[in-house]
């Protein structure tokens, strides 16, 4: 008898945790497990600002799927469409070959993409911080601005190259601004021609408070740390227009600037739009057990799913965080196994473990299990949490060594040039135009049935 086919889409926190647990709890004879992922690593997303700042190497936060999974088939590609009625997922391999992959159980964990708005010039000139390639590009780009500013005799050009804008006052934006501001400050010793007063970092957010999830006290403390370093934090303000050499804000200010880093939230993967499924603010609606109620054998979780937050109640859904995604992955694996064995499914319920925000160096704010911490103790908690959350000892060792090397030897501020002169728009890094229409999905499904 052919084994049931479990197809897991996405190799992030949710997908990897699900596949790992399926491996541990299912006998090899019970099911065939396949993971669809465009890269052979799980990206440890919370530490991307450290990659952009050169504190960590890119390989440090790329956790090997093949070191973590042992009997899961890994398909190198991305899911670009789903036909849940025919139980088929359309996958574009990294060779661009498109295949129709049948399944008995489907776990959708495709994650999210950077959320953008209809702001003139935004999609053409903004840089993201959602992928490893984007973080690597941002580092090269920031160092290039220092190089070019140091080489030019044009004062206006110099000023525009030395102003940097980060949009988004959540964890990603705050940590990105904090880490990159430290990078440019530390680099000044290598650029004797640059006036330190010309280097200016701006952190912009439309919300009235920075990182409101931390609470008023810690959010205010984080803002004070940034402002003491010279970062201009502007709240209640957004971007009105972006051009190659300037950023116009909604309060009327026009900043001469050639670097806009956009971290203002995420949207569910466009894969969700290929299905006729109910959504909640763009995320696929699921039950507390993370089933997609319209379709048999389909589960969804992580950033792409509106998972009810039973701990909060009142119709709240879980925020798109790594902590939730990893826990949901384990619960979905248990529920897939329960479905296989005709056992009852369990709802997802979580206990909040707290939050950590690494501002670089000795600066951090943390709130583990409700205890507010700042400074070095908060930094130890933040980095200890990240090491604990990584799934391989090799990754933990690499990250720990990188932190130690950077703390003792500093940075050489070198541009790699890997992405020089390549398109660097959000859609170029996040492949948002790769998904199929419903008619194209039906064509691939028909082709699969004809082939059989």
């Amino acid at each position: 008898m052919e084994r049931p086919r479990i197809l897991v889409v996405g190799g992030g926190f949710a997908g990897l945790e699900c596949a790992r647990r399926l491996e541990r709890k299912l006998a090899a004879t019970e099911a065939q497990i396949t993971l669809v992922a465009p890269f052979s690593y799980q990206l440890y997303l919370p530490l991307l600002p450290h990659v952009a700042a050169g504190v960590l190497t890119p390989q440090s936060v790329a956790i090997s799927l093949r070191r973590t999974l042992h009997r899961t088939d890994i398909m190198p590609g991305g899911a670009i469409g789903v036909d849940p009625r025919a139980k088929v997922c359309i996958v574009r391999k990294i060779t661009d070959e498109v295949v129709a992959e049948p399944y008995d159980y489907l776990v959708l964990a495709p994650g999210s993409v950077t959320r953008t708005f209809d702001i003139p010039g935004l999609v053409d000139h903004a840089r993201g911080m959602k992928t490893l390639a984007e973080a690597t590009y941002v580092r090269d780009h920031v160092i290039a601005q220092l190089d070019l500013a140091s080489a030019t005799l044009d004062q206006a050009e110099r000023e525009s190259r030395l102003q940097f804008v980060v949009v988004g006052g959540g964890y990603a934006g705050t940590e990105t601004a904090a880490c990159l501001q430290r990078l440019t400050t530390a680099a000044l010793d290598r650029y004797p021609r640059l006036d330190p007063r010309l280097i200016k970092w701006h952190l912009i957010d439309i919300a009235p408070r920075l990182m409101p999830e931390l609470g008023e006290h810690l959010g205010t403390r984080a803002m004070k740390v940034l402002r003491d370093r010279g970062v201009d934090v502007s709240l209640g303000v957004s971007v009105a227009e972006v051009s190659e050499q300037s950023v116009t804000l909604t309060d009327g200010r026009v900043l001469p600037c050639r670097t806009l880093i956009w971290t203002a939230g995420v949207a569910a993967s466009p894969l969700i739009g290929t299905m006729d499924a109910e959504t909640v603010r763009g995320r696929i609606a699921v039950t507390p057990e993370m089933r997609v109620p319209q379709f048999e054998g389909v589960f969804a979780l992580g950033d792409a799913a509106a998972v009810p937050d039973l701990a909060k109640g009142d119709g709240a859904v879980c925020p798109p965080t790594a902590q939730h995604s990893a826990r949901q992955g384990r619960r979905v694996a248990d529920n897939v196994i329960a479905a296989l064995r005709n056992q009852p499914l369990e709802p997802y319920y979580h206990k909040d473990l707290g939050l950590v925000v690494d501002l670089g160096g000795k600066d951090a704010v943390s709130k583990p299990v409700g205890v507010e911490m700042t400074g070095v103790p908060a930094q130890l908690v933040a980095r200890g949490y990240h090491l604990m959350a990584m799934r391989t000892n090799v990754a933990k060792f690499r990250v720990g060594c990188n932190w130690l090397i950077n703390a003792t030897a500093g940075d050489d501020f070198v541009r790699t040039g890997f992405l020089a002169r390549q398109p660097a728009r959000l859609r170029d890094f996040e492949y948002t135009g790769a998904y199929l229409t419903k008619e194209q999905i039906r064509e691939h499904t028909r082709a699969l049935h004809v082939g059989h």
Side-chain angles (χ1 to χ4, degrees), residues 174 177-178 203 210 222-231 233 359:
T174 302
L203 179 59
L210 203 64
M223 186 161 61
K224 183 179 186 304
V225 168
L226 293 178
R227 284 178 168 164
D228 287 348
R229 289 191 197 167
V231 177
V233 181
L359 300 173

Side-chain angles (χ1 to χ4, degrees), residues 2 45 97-98 129 138 155 230 244 258 325 379 382 386 403:
E2 188 177 349
L45 197 66
E97 177 191 1
V98 176
M129 276 289 291
V138 165
Q155 185 66 9
E244 188 176 352
R258 303 190 187 216
S325 294
Q379 185 64 281
H386 290 313
W403 278 334

Side-chain angles (χ1 to χ4, degrees), residues 92-139:
R92 177 175 281 124
K93 294 184 179 180
I94 57 174
T95 58
D96 279 339
E97 177 191 1
V98 176
V99 297
E101 193 71 15
Y103 64 83
D104 295 295
Y105 295 92
L106 177 65
V107 177
L108 290 171
S112 56
V113 296
T114 301
R115 181 182 61 184
T116 58
F117 300 97
D118 189 19
I119 298 171
L122 178 67
V123 296
D124 291 320
H125 301 295
R127 311 296 174 230
M129 276 289 291
K130 195 79 173 62
T131 68
L132 195 54
E134 284 176 313
T136 306
Y137 173 85
V138 165
R139 173 174 168 79

Side-chain angles (χ1 to χ4, degrees), residues 38-103:
F39 305 107
S40 60
Y41 60 80
Q42 176 219 18
L43 175 62
Y44 193 81
L45 197 66
L47 289 179
L48 272 189
H50 286 212
V51 174
V55 176
L56 298 177
T57 62
Q59 189 180 3
S60 302
V61 299
I63 300 170
S64 169
L65 293 178
R66 295 190 183 277
R67 187 183 285 273
T68 312
L69 301 173
H70 306 292
R71 57 184 178 86
T72 296
D73 295 326
I74 300 175
M75 179 176 290
I80 56 175
V82 178
D83 186 341
R85 292 178 178 83
K87 289 200 166 186
V88 167
C89 181
I90 311 301
V91 177
R92 177 175 281 124
K93 294 184 179 180
I94 57 174
T95 58
D96 279 339
E97 177 191 1
V98 176
V99 297
E101 193 71 15
Y103 64 83

Side-chain angles (χ1 to χ4, degrees), residues 208-212 214-228 233 235 359 365 374:
R209 284 165 48 192
L210 203 64
M211 295 181 294
L214 277 175
E216 186 173 356
H217 176 253
L218 288 183
T220 301
R221 180 59 184 265
M223 186 161 61
K224 183 179 186 304
V225 168
L226 293 178
R227 284 178 168 164
D228 287 348
V233 181
L235 301 176
L359 300 173
V365 290
T374 60

Side-chain angles (χ1 to χ4, degrees), residues 298-443:
V298 179
F299 295 80
L301 66 161
D303 292 5
V307 179
D309 190 340
L310 300 183
K312 287 186 177 179
D314 294 327
V317 298
C318 297
T321 65
Q323 194 177 121
H324 275 295
S325 294
R327 294 170 175 181
Q328 289 168 9
R330 294 189 285 272
R331 173 57 66 196
V332 162
D334 290 343
N335 283 340
V336 170
I337 294 167
L340 266 171
R341 296 172 179 171
N342 295 315
Q343 297 170 349
L345 277 58
E346 297 289 336
Y348 171 70
Y349 187 92
H350 74 97
K351 182 180 179 181
D352 191 9
L353 295 180
L355 306 163
V356 296
V357 181
D358 188 334
L359 300 173
K362 298 177 182 179
D363 295 322
V365 290
S366 299
K367 197 176 181 180
V369 293
V371 180
E372 295 188 353
M373 305 174 71
T374 60
V376 174
Q379 185 64 281
L380 292 174
V381 168
R383 297 198 172 184
Y385 169 79
H386 290 313
L387 289 177
M388 183 178 64
M390 290 184 163
R391 279 299 164 217
T392 70
N393 289 329
V394 171
K396 295 176 184 181
F397 185 73
R398 279 203 183 101
V399 168
C401 287
N402 273 221
W403 278 334
L404 180 62
I405 291 169
N406 185 265
T408 55
D411 193 340
D412 281 334
F413 312 107
V414 172
R415 287 180 288 118
T416 62
F418 291 146
L419 298 168
R421 302 183 185 277
Q422 297 297 312
R425 297 161 298 188
L426 293 171
R427 60 177 172 267
D428 296 316
F429 282 117
E430 301 188 29
Y431 309 105
T432 52
Y435 297 87
L436 300 182
T437 65
K438 292 180 176 62
E439 180 55 38
Q440 289 172 318
I441 293 170
R442 285 192 290 269
E443 288 176 8

